[in-house]
Protein backbone atom coordinates (compact mmCIF):
# COMPACT_ATOMS: atom_id res chain seq x y z
CA UNK A 1 0.00 0.00 0.00
CA UNK A 2 2.78 2.40 0.96
CA UNK A 3 4.65 1.51 -2.22
CA UNK A 4 1.60 2.31 -4.35
CA UNK A 5 1.16 5.68 -2.64
CA UNK A 6 4.84 6.49 -3.16
CA UNK A 7 4.69 5.56 -6.86
CA UNK A 8 1.55 7.63 -7.41
CA UNK A 9 3.09 10.60 -5.61
CA UNK A 10 6.31 10.41 -7.62
CA UNK A 11 4.44 10.25 -10.92
CA UNK A 12 2.20 13.16 -9.92
CA UNK A 13 5.26 15.22 -8.97
CA UNK A 14 6.91 14.37 -12.31
CA UNK A 15 3.78 15.54 -14.15
CA UNK A 16 3.69 18.79 -12.14
CA UNK A 17 7.42 19.38 -12.74
CA UNK A 18 6.98 18.89 -16.49
CA UNK A 19 3.98 21.26 -16.49
CA UNK A 20 6.01 23.89 -14.60
CA UNK A 21 8.86 23.59 -17.12
CA UNK A 22 6.44 24.07 -20.03
CA UNK A 23 4.92 27.13 -18.32
CA UNK A 24 8.33 28.67 -17.64
CA UNK A 25 9.25 28.22 -21.31
CA UNK A 26 7.03 31.21 -22.12
CA UNK A 27 10.04 33.35 -21.17
CA UNK A 28 11.85 32.10 -24.29
CA UNK A 29 8.96 32.79 -26.69
CA UNK A 30 8.77 36.55 -26.77
CA UNK A 31 9.09 37.31 -30.47
CA UNK A 32 6.76 37.21 -33.45
CA UNK A 33 7.83 35.39 -36.58
CA UNK A 34 8.16 37.61 -39.66
CA UNK A 35 5.16 37.49 -42.03
CA UNK A 36 3.21 35.29 -39.60
CA UNK A 37 0.57 35.95 -36.94
CA UNK A 38 1.94 33.02 -34.94
CA UNK A 39 4.74 33.73 -32.42
CA UNK A 40 7.86 31.65 -31.95
CA UNK A 41 7.55 29.28 -28.96
CA UNK A 42 9.43 26.34 -27.51
CA UNK A 43 6.46 24.97 -25.56
CA UNK A 44 5.74 22.49 -28.34
CA UNK A 45 9.21 20.98 -27.85
CA UNK A 46 8.76 20.65 -24.09
CA UNK A 47 5.29 19.12 -24.45
CA UNK A 48 6.64 16.49 -26.85
CA UNK A 49 9.78 16.00 -24.77
CA UNK A 50 7.72 15.37 -21.62
CA UNK A 51 5.56 12.85 -23.49
CA UNK A 52 8.53 11.02 -25.02
CA UNK A 53 10.24 10.72 -21.63
CA UNK A 54 7.28 10.08 -19.31
CA UNK A 55 4.76 8.45 -21.64
CA UNK A 56 1.43 9.53 -23.05
CA UNK A 57 -0.68 9.88 -19.91
CA UNK A 58 1.81 11.97 -17.98
CA UNK A 59 2.99 13.96 -20.99
CA UNK A 60 -0.59 14.83 -21.95
CA UNK A 61 -1.37 15.53 -18.28
CA UNK A 62 1.50 18.00 -18.00
CA UNK A 63 0.43 19.71 -21.22
CA UNK A 64 -3.17 19.84 -20.03
CA UNK A 65 -2.08 21.57 -16.80
CA UNK A 66 -0.09 24.10 -18.83
CA UNK A 67 -3.11 24.87 -21.03
CA UNK A 68 -5.35 25.13 -17.96
CA UNK A 69 -2.93 27.57 -16.32
CA UNK A 70 -2.88 29.73 -19.45
CA UNK A 71 -6.65 29.59 -19.80
CA UNK A 72 -7.01 30.80 -16.22
CA UNK A 73 -4.96 33.88 -17.07
CA UNK A 74 -1.41 33.00 -16.06
CA UNK A 75 1.14 34.45 -18.56
CA UNK A 76 2.43 31.07 -19.73
CA UNK A 77 1.64 31.19 -23.45
CA UNK A 78 4.06 32.60 -26.05
CA UNK A 79 4.82 36.33 -25.69
CA UNK A 80 3.90 36.02 -22.00
CA UNK A 81 0.19 35.91 -22.79
CA UNK A 82 -2.59 34.23 -20.86
CA UNK A 83 -6.36 34.13 -20.73
CA UNK A 84 -9.22 32.31 -22.41
CA UNK A 85 -9.12 34.72 -25.37
CA UNK A 86 -5.78 33.19 -26.42
CA UNK A 87 -7.37 29.74 -26.52
CA UNK A 88 -10.14 31.01 -28.78
CA UNK A 89 -7.93 33.40 -30.78
CA UNK A 90 -5.99 32.67 -33.95
CA UNK A 91 -3.21 30.76 -32.16
CA UNK A 92 -5.67 28.66 -30.12
CA UNK A 93 -5.47 25.77 -32.56
CA UNK A 94 -1.73 25.49 -32.02
CA UNK A 95 -2.22 25.38 -28.25
CA UNK A 96 -4.77 22.58 -28.66
CA UNK A 97 -2.22 20.95 -30.98
CA UNK A 98 0.27 20.83 -28.10
CA UNK A 99 -2.07 18.55 -26.17
CA UNK A 100 -2.72 16.34 -29.20
CA UNK A 101 1.03 16.22 -29.92
CA UNK A 102 1.81 15.13 -26.36
CA UNK A 103 -0.83 12.39 -26.48
CA UNK A 104 0.33 11.12 -29.89
CA UNK A 105 4.05 11.25 -29.05
CA UNK A 106 3.55 9.55 -25.71
CA UNK A 107 1.40 6.82 -27.23
CA UNK A 108 4.06 5.98 -29.81
CA UNK A 109 7.00 6.29 -27.41
CA UNK A 110 5.24 4.35 -24.63
CA UNK A 111 6.07 4.44 -20.93
CA UNK A 112 9.79 4.24 -20.12
CA UNK A 113 11.31 1.13 -18.55
CA UNK A 114 14.58 0.66 -16.70
CA UNK A 115 15.92 -2.07 -19.00
CA UNK A 116 15.58 0.18 -22.03
CA UNK A 117 18.93 0.51 -23.82
CA UNK A 118 20.02 4.10 -24.43
CA UNK A 119 21.94 3.33 -27.61
CA UNK A 120 19.60 0.81 -29.22
CA UNK A 121 18.70 1.75 -32.81
CA UNK A 122 15.10 0.54 -32.38
CA UNK A 123 14.60 2.84 -29.40
CA UNK A 124 16.00 5.81 -31.31
CA UNK A 125 13.77 5.11 -34.31
CA UNK A 126 10.69 4.75 -32.10
CA UNK A 127 11.40 8.05 -30.33
CA UNK A 128 12.15 9.71 -33.68
CA UNK A 129 8.77 8.57 -35.05
CA UNK A 130 7.06 9.70 -31.84
CA UNK A 131 8.62 13.15 -31.98
CA UNK A 132 7.98 13.60 -35.72
CA UNK A 133 4.33 12.66 -35.26
CA UNK A 134 4.09 15.08 -32.36
CA UNK A 135 5.54 18.06 -34.22
CA UNK A 136 3.28 17.34 -37.20
CA UNK A 137 0.20 17.01 -34.96
CA UNK A 138 0.61 20.57 -33.68
CA UNK A 139 -0.08 22.02 -37.12
CA UNK A 140 -3.28 20.17 -38.00
CA UNK A 141 -5.60 22.01 -35.56
CA UNK A 142 -3.27 25.01 -35.66
CA UNK A 143 -3.66 25.69 -39.38
CA UNK A 144 -7.35 24.82 -39.50
CA UNK A 145 -8.21 27.23 -36.67
CA UNK A 146 -5.88 29.92 -38.02
CA UNK A 147 -7.71 29.84 -41.35
CA UNK A 148 -11.07 30.09 -39.59
CA UNK A 149 -9.97 33.08 -37.49
CA UNK A 150 -8.40 34.97 -40.39
CA UNK A 151 -11.46 34.57 -42.62
CA UNK A 152 -13.72 35.55 -39.72
CA UNK A 153 -11.85 38.78 -39.04
CA UNK A 154 -11.80 41.27 -41.96
CA UNK A 155 -9.40 43.49 -40.00
CA UNK A 156 -6.74 40.79 -39.94
CA UNK A 157 -3.56 41.63 -41.84
CA UNK A 158 -3.82 38.27 -43.60
CA UNK A 159 -7.55 38.41 -44.41
CA UNK A 160 -6.97 39.56 -48.01
CA UNK A 161 -4.59 36.65 -48.62
CA UNK A 162 -7.31 34.05 -47.99
CA UNK A 163 -10.61 35.73 -48.84
CA UNK A 164 -11.89 34.78 -52.28
CA UNK A 165 -9.10 32.25 -52.88
CA UNK A 166 -9.67 28.65 -53.93
CA UNK A 167 -9.11 25.89 -51.39
CA UNK A 168 -5.71 25.03 -52.89
CA UNK A 169 -4.64 28.68 -52.88
CA UNK A 170 -5.75 29.08 -49.28
CA UNK A 171 -3.80 25.95 -48.34
CA UNK A 172 -0.67 27.34 -50.02
CA UNK A 173 -1.03 30.69 -48.24
CA UNK A 174 -1.58 29.00 -44.89
CA UNK A 175 1.61 27.00 -45.35
CA UNK A 176 3.49 30.23 -45.98
CA UNK A 177 2.24 32.01 -42.86
CA UNK A 178 1.51 29.20 -40.42
CA UNK A 179 3.99 26.40 -41.16
CA UNK A 180 7.00 27.21 -43.34
CA UNK A 181 8.47 29.89 -41.00
CA UNK A 182 8.71 27.26 -38.26
CA UNK A 183 10.14 24.27 -40.15
CA UNK A 184 13.79 25.18 -39.54
CA UNK A 185 13.22 25.69 -35.83
CA UNK A 186 11.25 22.46 -35.50
CA UNK A 187 14.10 20.54 -37.11
CA UNK A 188 16.46 22.02 -34.52
CA UNK A 189 14.00 21.11 -31.75
CA UNK A 190 13.80 17.57 -33.14
CA UNK A 191 17.59 17.17 -32.91
CA UNK A 192 17.31 18.01 -29.21
CA UNK A 193 14.13 16.05 -28.47
CA UNK A 194 15.21 12.65 -29.78
CA UNK A 195 18.61 12.18 -28.08
CA UNK A 196 17.52 13.83 -24.83
CA UNK A 197 14.39 11.66 -24.62
CA UNK A 198 16.27 8.46 -25.40
CA UNK A 199 18.96 9.14 -22.81
CA UNK A 200 16.54 10.32 -20.11
CA UNK A 201 13.92 7.55 -20.35
CA UNK A 202 15.84 4.87 -18.34
CA UNK A 203 16.52 7.37 -15.54
CA UNK A 204 12.88 8.44 -15.47
CA UNK A 205 11.81 4.79 -15.42
CA UNK A 206 14.11 3.98 -12.52
CA UNK A 207 12.55 6.75 -10.42
CA UNK A 208 8.92 6.32 -11.48
CA UNK A 209 8.58 2.62 -12.36
CA UNK A 210 11.67 0.92 -10.89
CA UNK A 211 9.92 -0.94 -8.08
CA UNK A 212 7.17 -2.13 -10.45
CA UNK A 213 9.72 -3.59 -12.84
CA UNK A 214 11.73 -5.18 -10.03
CA UNK A 215 8.60 -6.92 -8.77
CA UNK A 216 7.74 -8.06 -12.30
CA UNK A 217 11.29 -9.37 -12.83
CA UNK A 218 11.14 -11.24 -9.49
CA UNK A 219 7.78 -12.78 -10.44
CA UNK A 220 9.11 -13.88 -13.85
CA UNK A 221 12.20 -15.40 -12.22
CA UNK A 222 10.03 -17.21 -9.68
CA UNK A 223 7.83 -18.65 -12.43
CA UNK A 224 10.92 -19.82 -14.34
CA UNK A 225 12.21 -21.64 -11.25
CA UNK A 226 8.84 -23.31 -10.68
CA UNK A 227 8.71 -24.39 -14.32
CA UNK A 228 12.23 -25.82 -14.09
CA UNK A 229 11.26 -27.66 -10.87
CA UNK A 230 8.16 -29.26 -12.42
CA UNK A 231 10.07 -30.12 -15.61
CA UNK A 232 12.69 -31.91 -13.50
CA UNK A 233 9.97 -33.91 -11.67
CA UNK A 234 8.16 -35.00 -14.83
CA UNK A 235 11.27 -35.68 -16.91
CA UNK A 236 11.84 -39.30 -15.63
CA UNK A 237 8.21 -40.21 -16.43
CA UNK A 238 8.60 -38.89 -19.98
CA UNK A 239 11.83 -40.85 -20.44
CA UNK A 240 10.15 -44.10 -19.24
CA UNK A 241 7.36 -43.74 -21.79
CA UNK A 242 9.92 -43.49 -24.57
Amino acid sequence: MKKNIKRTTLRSLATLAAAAAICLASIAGRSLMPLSPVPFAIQNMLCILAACILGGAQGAGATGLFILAGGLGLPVFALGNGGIEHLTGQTGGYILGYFIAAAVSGLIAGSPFTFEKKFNIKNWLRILCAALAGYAAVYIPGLLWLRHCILLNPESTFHALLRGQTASEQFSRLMQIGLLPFIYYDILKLTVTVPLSTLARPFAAKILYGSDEEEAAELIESLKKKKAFFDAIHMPHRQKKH
Side-chain angles (χ1 to χ4, degrees):
M1 184 68 176
K2 288 182 178 179
K3 281 186 177 181
N4 289 335
I5 294 172
K6 184 180 178 181
R7 294 167 194 161
T8 303
T9 302
L10 284 172
R11 291 165 194 172
S12 298
L13 288 174
T15 303
L16 288 172
I22 298 168
C23 290
L24 290 173
S26 63
I27 298 170
R30 295 191 175 273
S31 61
L32 278 169
M33 296 296 290
L35 303 177
S36 175
V38 183
F40 170 81
I42 65 168
Q43 280 102 332
N44 62 337
M45 182 183 78
L46 292 182
C47 293
I48 294 167
L49 190 61
C52 287
I53 294 174
L54 301 176
Q58 287 181 268
T63 304
L65 289 174
F66 151 70
I67 294 173
L68 177 63
L72 292 173
L74 295 178
V76 297
F77 296 148
L79 304 178
N81 291 321
I84 195 70
E85 65 274 12
H86 294 286
L87 293 177
T88 58
Q90 58 188 10
T91 58
Y94 290 90
I95 298 172
L96 172 62
Y98 294 168
F99 183 82
I100 297 172
V104 169
S105 296
L107 182 65
I108 296 172
S111 296
F113 56 95
T114 54
F115 305 111
E116 199 168 324
K117 294 180 181 179
K118 302 173 192 175
F119 302 104
N120 184 286
I121 187 65
K122 289 183 179 179
N123 289 342
W124 282 75
L125 287 174
R126 188 179 75 256
I127 300 302
L128 175 61
C129 290
L132 279 171
Y135 282 109
V138 172
Y139 292 99
I140 297 171
L143 291 170
L144 290 174
W145 188 250
L146 178 63
R147 173 186 175 277
H148 170 77
C149 290
I150 290 175
L151 290 175
L152 200 65
N153 181 16
E155 296 180 3
S156 170
T157 308
F158 302 93
H159 182 74
L161 290 175
L162 300 184
R163 183 173 56 85
Q165 302 293 315
T166 64
S168 61
E169 289 171 337
Q170 285 185 0
F171 177 79
S172 177
R173 294 290 189 181
L174 280 171
M175 295 300 104
Q176 293 172 18
I177 64 177
L179 173 63
L180 295 181
F182 303 96
I183 292 294
Y184 170 75
Y185 298 99
D186 282 351
I187 292 172
L188 289 180
K189 293 172 188 175
L190 186 68
T191 62
V192 174
T193 303
V194 175
L196 192 56
S197 298
T198 309
L199 295 174
R201 280 171 64 86
F203 294 106
K206 189 173 183 180
I207 296 170
L208 302 177
Y209 300 97
S211 55
D212 289 349
E213 293 183 9
E214 287 169 9
E215 289 176 9
E218 288 174 4
L219 177 62
I220 291 169
E221 189 62 30
S222 174
L223 291 172
K224 284 181 178 178
K225 288 179 179 178
K226 287 180 180 179
K227 183 179 183 300
F229 175 74
F230 285 114
D231 286 346
I233 291 175
H234 293 295
M235 187 62 70
H237 296 289
R238 291 175 183 170
Q239 289 176 346
K240 285 179 182 180
K241 287 180 181 181
H242 287 294

